[in-house]
Amino acid sequence: MTMKTVFKKTSGLTDKPTHYCPGCTHGVIHRLVGEVLEEMDILEDTIGVASVGCSVLSYEYFNCDMTQAAHGRAPAVATGVKRVLPNRFVFTYQGDGDLASIGISEVIHAAARGENITVIFVNNAIYGMTGGQMA
């Protein structure tokens, strides 16, 4: 009998166990992003930008080059990275408190300028790092 692999870990993620709270969607979203990076065969050409909030530790999970940005400033950092390294795939990974609150102007202006970056917006509706207040 031949065994068929039904499920395997994507090479787009590291082997680090997750730190997220039970029920949090960050882990699922990490897997989806990791799978896409692997399927597109761009892991070696990708740079991610993690911002403040629960998403800040995403650099420990994605198996690509990552950098950090100040709270709400990931689109600005990603813009700089993309302009210096135009042949790389550059993405931000941001939660709702970071992107839709303090960083809303950054993402609006990046979009208005037509920056060639991808912004991943994780809306889990809470400020998880400061006690779980509604976002």
Side-chain angles (χ1 to χ4, degrees), residues 36 38 42 48 54 66-67 72 74 77 81 86 88 90 92 97 102 109 116 122 133:
V36 168
E38 178 184 22
I42 58 172
C54 293
M66 295 286 294
T67 189
V77 172
V81 170
R88 299 293 181 101
V90 180
T92 70
I102 195 169
H109 288 288
N116 190 14
V122 181
Q133 302 91 339

Side-chain angles (χ1 to χ4, degrees), residues 23-106:
C24 179
T25 58
H26 277 292
V28 173
I29 297 165
H30 284 352
R31 172 146 181 105
L32 293 171
V33 172
E35 284 177 347
V36 168
L37 295 175
E38 178 184 22
E39 288 172 12
M40 292 178 67
D41 195 27
I42 58 172
L43 282 167
E44 296 295 320
D45 298 319
T46 297
I47 301 172
V49 181
S51 200
V52 174
C54 293
S55 62
V56 72
L57 296 176
S58 62
Y59 62 83
E60 292 189 1
Y61 303 115
F62 291 118
N63 199 12
C64 62
D65 290 331
M66 295 286 294
T67 189
Q68 278 187 266
H71 200 206
R73 305 305 180 249
V77 172
T79 295
V81 170
K82 185 65 175 183
R83 289 183 181 186
V84 171
L85 301 167
N87 295 328
R88 299 293 181 101
F89 175 75
V90 180
F91 75 95
T92 70
Y93 186 88
Q94 299 175 259
D96 47 354
D98 177 69
L99 186 143
S101 183
I102 195 169
I104 193 70
S105 65
E106 296 288 340

